């Protein structure tokens, strides 16, 4: 895969604590010109961490503090003021120790206490840069949490269940973490994902763990290569920690799987907020694991809602990218007309950092060629709390529905968007919009064809079940799916071509949907279309079809929880979804970040706090 990421080294050494007793002007030293450096192609950070850079390397490091310390007492009348004016954080016209402290706060460095639960990527990097923790320690801590929590019943409520969010953990994760620590010691923080433990859905190929698709029939599928997205994560320095559970072969929203179980037996993934409820699906294991802090970041796949449903059920941020932004090569397919992989995270910042690692053109997935010239250097550059100012957001009233929780939260979300500077307008859907939402999933007519291609190119040679018919013969699958597998095994190549071929009805429907929705946005000058991802532990009508039936990207972000007064499921999360134009993930990330920073709607599941 040809990526646009760079891993140039950026050293972040330990700092001594700053003495802040002096807050007024001090005697000014002789002017020392700030070094004029070309911008390093290294780590790309969010604006908060770059806007006070004085040395041209697009981040705040000890070198910036040295420059500022040498100019304490400078004023606009001083020589070279323009080179250091950005450091006058309090805008009082003089550089003081207070400014020095404010600039130092923009470093990715924190030598204070570190708490793993709810730690962000920045929290982890800051602690590792300061030597407070290491990737090995983070990885071991997440493995300990998986061992303590994942298959253990911790919910005393009636109907409580174990999470069942992880199918397997890597036996070489600690080695990968040690390698990341060695890289940091030698080169500094080379990437925001360096040393960060990641869980991927168990339909992503991984060299160090079997890829089962959630099916007991493929427990010995030890592939010879990583999925392209997994390779991108490893290149960034991430630690592939575990394979998350899923609805078998990514079929549905309940995340029932047979992998690791005796033939005829299955497990279901549970939501860590209320374990009697499903974690959603098909990426339910990823959703439950990330929400319960069993890994730093997660990845799922989405054909018709499989990232966004578990993100909503588990109060996470999820990104369903434009089809073509990230290679699907090495991912067990469901329907390639609509399949896409994407991040699931506890914050928009984490999701943006994760997305950076997996985009790129890949000849093995030709649709990725469409992204050339349309991908930013880093999605983290869009993390702007003012991103909604001047934005135009449309919504369709029928997509909001009447569920008391969803209606209340969407009404509040609309008010928040407007308070943040967006214009929110109700949209009358054009003729044909209902047909876009009504177009069914491609999985019925595409699954056999696309699975056969994966089997021919990626399935390990020792796996005996090499077709849907073979899978049925094993008896080692979710038995209730037998009829579905049999009917999809009977789909002919002629039926597939009539559906998903170049002139197939589904192919034309997606193209028509894309043109119609893009035209709607153009005509009304909309930057995004907003709607609820679903209801408390449920979906709403055909909302989830809008993104896959157009190929356009969407981002889902927590907007709140059900209250007792709603009369639904108290405490259940519901997300706000934003749909944008092709390859406008950066805009959606900016909008989602601004909304998230204003609401901080996500809560942490109380049942899965720090280990004693």
């Amino acid at each position: 895969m040809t990526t646009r990421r760079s891993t140039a080294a950026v050293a972040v050494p330990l700092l001594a604590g700053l003495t802040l007793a002096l807050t007024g002007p001090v005697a000014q030293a002789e002017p020392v010109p700030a070094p004029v450096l070309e911008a390093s192609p290294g780590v790309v950070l969010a604006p908060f961490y770059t806007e006070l850079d004085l040395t041209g390397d697009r981040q705040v490091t000890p070198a910036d503090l040295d420059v500022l310390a040498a100019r304490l007492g400078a004023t606009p009348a001083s020589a070279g003021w323009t080179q250091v004016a950005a450091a006058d954080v309090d805008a009082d016209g003089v550089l003081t120790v207070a400014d020095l402290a404010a600039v130092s706060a923009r470093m990715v460095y924190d030598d204070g206490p570190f708490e793993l639960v709810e730690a962000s990527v920045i929290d982890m990097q800051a602690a590792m840069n300061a030597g407070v923790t290491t990737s090995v320690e983070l990885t071991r801590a997440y493995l300990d949490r998986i061992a303590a929590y994942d298959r253990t019943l911790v919910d005393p409520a009636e109907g409580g269940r174990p999470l069942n969010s992880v199918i397997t953990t890597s036996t070489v994760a600690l080695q990968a973490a040690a390698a990341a620590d060695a890289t940091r010691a030698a080169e500094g923080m080379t990437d925001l994902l360096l040393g960060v433990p990641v869980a991927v859905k168990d339909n992503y190929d991984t060299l160090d763990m079997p890829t089962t698709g959630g099916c007991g029939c493929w427990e010995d599928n030890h592939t010879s290569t990583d999925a392209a997205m997994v390779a991108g994560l490893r290149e960034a320095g991430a630690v592939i920690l575990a394979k998350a559970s899923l609805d078998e072969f990514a079929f549905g929203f309940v995340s029932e799987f047979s992998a690791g179980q005796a033939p005829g037996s299955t497990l279901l993934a549970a939501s860590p907020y209320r374990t009697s409820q499903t974690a959603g699906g098909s990426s339910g294991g990823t959703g439950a694991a990330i929400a319960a802090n069993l890994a730093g970041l997660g990845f799922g796949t989405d054909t018709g809602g499989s990232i966004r449903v578990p993100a909503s059920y588990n109060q996470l941020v999820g990104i369903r990218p434009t089809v073509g932004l990230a290679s699907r090569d090495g991912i067990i397919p469901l329907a390639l007309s609509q399949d896409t992989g994407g991040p699931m995270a506890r914050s928009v910042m984490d999701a943006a950092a994760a997305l950076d690692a997996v985009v790129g053109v890949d000849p093995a997935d030709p649709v990725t060629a469409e992204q050339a010239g349309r991908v930013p250097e880093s999605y983290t550059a869009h993390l702007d709390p003012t991103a909604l100012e001047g934005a135009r957001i449309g919504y369709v009233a029928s997509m909001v529905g009447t569920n008391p929780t969803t209606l209340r939260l969407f009404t509040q979300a609309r008010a928040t968007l407007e308070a943040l500077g967006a214009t929110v307008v109700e949209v009358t859907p054009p003729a044909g919009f209902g047909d876009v939402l009504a177009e069914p999933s491609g999985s019925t007519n595409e699954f056999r064809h696309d699975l056969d291609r994966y089997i021919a190119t990626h399935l390990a040679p020792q796996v005996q079940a090499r077709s849907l018919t073979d899978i049925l013969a094993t008896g080692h699958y979710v038995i209730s799916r037998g009829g579905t597998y049999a009917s999809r095994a009977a789909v002919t190549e002629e039926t597939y071509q009539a559906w998903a071929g170049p002139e197939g009805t589904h192919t034309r429907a997606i193209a028509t949907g894309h043109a119609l929705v893009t035209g709607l946005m153009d005509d009304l000058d909309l930057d995004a279309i907003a709607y609820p991802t679903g209801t408390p532990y449920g979906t709403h009508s055909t909302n989830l079809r809008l993104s896959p039936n157009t190929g356009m990207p969407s981002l889902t972000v927590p907007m709140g929880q059900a209250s007792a007064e709603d009369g639904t499921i108290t405490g259940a999360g519901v997300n706000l979804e934003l749909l944008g134009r092709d390859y406008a993930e950066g805009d959606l990330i900016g909008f989602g970040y601004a909304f998230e920073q204003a609401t901080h709607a996500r809560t942490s599941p109380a049942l899965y706090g720090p280990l004693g």
Side-chain angles (χ1 to χ4, degrees):
M1 181 170 67
T2 303
T3 67
R4 47 145 189 89
R5 298 280 297 169
S6 170
T7 55
V10 180
V12 185
L14 296 178
L15 289 179
L18 290 171
T19 302
L20 301 180
L22 182 61
T23 58
V26 298
Q28 183 182 344
E30 288 297 314
V32 178
V36 178
L37 305 175
E38 292 188 8
S40 165
V43 182
V44 181
L45 299 170
F48 177 83
Y49 299 100
T50 63
E51 60 192 3
L52 301 185
D53 169 41
L54 302 177
T55 57
D57 61 356
R58 300 185 297 178
Q59 59 184 309
V60 176
T61 70
D64 298 281
L65 302 187
D66 290 343
V67 170
L68 179 53
R71 300 302 306 278
L72 290 177
T75 70
S78 304
W81 172 257
T82 57
Q83 295 176 308
V84 292
D88 184 17
V89 181
D90 56 12
D92 65 353
V94 61
L95 296 182
T96 68
V97 174
D99 294 314
L100 184 63
V103 172
S104 72
R106 305 296 182 97
M107 294 181 62
V108 184
Y109 179 97
D110 188 348
D111 59 3
F114 174 75
E115 173 52 61
L116 184 71
V117 172
E118 296 298 304
S120 69
V121 165
I122 290 291
D123 293 334
M124 295 180 212
Q125 293 298 342
M128 287 189 284
N129 287 340
V132 171
T133 191
T134 65
S135 179
V136 167
E137 290 171 350
L138 289 175
T139 301
R140 185 176 291 114
Y142 280 127
L143 289 170
D144 288 346
R145 287 182 64 81
I146 292 170
Y149 280 141
D150 192 57
R151 297 296 171 93
T152 303
L153 179 61
V154 301
D155 187 353
E158 182 178 356
R161 297 179 287 156
L163 289 178
N164 298 326
S165 67
V166 173
I167 289 179
T168 188
T169 55
S170 171
T171 58
V172 298
L174 289 170
Q175 295 175 33
D181 288 335
T183 296
R184 188 181 306 274
E187 305 174 42
M189 183 180 68
T190 57
D191 193 284
L192 277 178
L193 298 192
L194 178 65
V196 174
V198 177
V200 299
K201 187 176 181 179
D202 197 13
N203 57 354
Y204 285 74
D205 285 353
T206 48
L207 277 166
D208 47 357
M209 290 174 279
T211 302
T212 71
C215 187
C217 62
W218 278 8
E219 289 175 351
D220 55 350
N221 182 27
H222 294 271
T223 61
S224 60
T225 58
D226 283 326
M229 290 175 67
V230 172
L233 290 166
R234 292 198 204 271
E235 182 182 355
V239 175
I240 307 302
L241 177 77
K243 304 294 284 290
S245 63
L246 67 156
D247 202 77
E248 189 171 271
F249 289 118
F251 265 56
F253 291 159
V254 298
S255 291
E256 183 176 10
F257 60 99
S258 60
Q261 307 307 302
S265 297
T266 62
L267 292 176
L268 293 105
S271 169
Y273 295 91
R274 184 181 290 240
T275 64
S276 58
Q277 297 286 340
T278 177
S282 63
S283 309
T286 306
I290 302 308
N293 292 277
L294 304 190
L297 288 169
F299 275 82
T301 59
D302 191 308
T303 307
S306 294
I307 286 173
R308 294 161 292 149
V309 169
S312 188
Y313 288 12
N314 297 290
Q315 302 186 36
L316 297 175
V317 175
I319 298 176
R320 177 191 157 87
T322 308
V323 174
L325 183 66
S327 173
R328 286 88 51 88
D329 186 53
I331 298 175
I332 299 172
L334 180 60
L336 285 172
S337 67
Q338 297 169 315
D339 286 352
T340 187
M344 301 171 69
R346 292 182 291 269
S347 69
V348 177
M349 177 178 283
D350 285 1
L355 187 61
D356 273 346
V358 298
V359 303
V361 175
D362 182 6
D365 188 2
V367 71
T368 59
E370 298 175 0
Q371 71 179 259
R374 307 177 75 178
V375 179
E377 181 181 21
S378 173
Y379 288 104
T380 63
H382 291 267
L383 297 168
D384 181 356
T386 67
L388 282 161
E389 290 180 6
R392 281 180 57 85
I393 312 293
Y395 74 96
V396 176
S398 62
M399 296 181 73
V400 178
T402 59
N403 179 277
T405 296
T406 300
L407 181 59
R408 174 178 60 82
L409 292 175
F410 188 81
T411 300
Q412 293 174 357
R414 176 181 173 181
T416 299
L417 295 172
E418 292 174 335
L420 293 170
T423 299
V424 182
V425 296
E426 183 176 347
V427 172
T428 300
F433 188 80
D435 294 335
V436 176
L437 294 178
E439 178 69 11
S441 168
S443 60
T444 298
N445 291 326
E446 297 175 51
F447 182 55
R448 175 186 173 178
H449 174 277
D450 294 346
L451 188 71
D452 284 349
R453 187 164 74 175
Y454 172 88
I455 289 169
T457 57
H458 290 285
L459 191 69
Q462 65 268 25
V463 178
Q464 297 299 305
R466 308 194 72 82
S467 68
L468 277 171
T469 301
D470 290 347
I471 289 170
L472 286 165
T474 69
H476 201 175
Y477 56 89
V478 176
I479 298 301
S480 63
R481 308 284 170 82
T484 299
Y485 293 164
S487 65
R488 296 187 185 188
V491 173
T492 64
E493 181 64 15
E494 292 74 19
T495 298
Y496 168 81
Q497 290 296 337
W499 171 264
E503 299 300 323
T505 57
H506 188 58
T507 303
R508 294 199 304 271
I510 292 175
T512 299
H514 176 270
L516 186 145
V517 175
T518 302
L520 169 67
M521 295 180 70
D522 289 345
D523 291 344
L524 298 178
D525 193 27
L526 299 178
D527 296 295
I529 297 174
Y531 47 93
T533 295
T535 61
Y537 292 114
T539 60
H540 171 65
S541 187
T542 52
N543 285 14
L544 294 165
R545 307 301 312 158
L546 187 58
S547 178
N549 286 351
T550 60
M552 298 162 70
S554 67
L555 176 145
T556 182
V557 59
M559 62 177 177
Q561 298 79 36
S563 66
E565 292 75 20
D566 292 338
T568 55
I569 304 175
T570 302
V574 178
N575 276 20
L576 175 70
E577 190 161 337
L578 297 166
L579 179 104
R581 291 177 177 79
D582 282 0
Y583 300 102
E585 284 83 358
D587 292 340
L588 298 179
I589 284 167
F591 299 156
Y593 180 75
F595 180 83
E596 173 194 67
Q597 295 305 297
T599 59
H600 296 286
R602 171 176 161 77
T603 64
S604 186
L607 291 167
Y608 298 93
L611 292 177

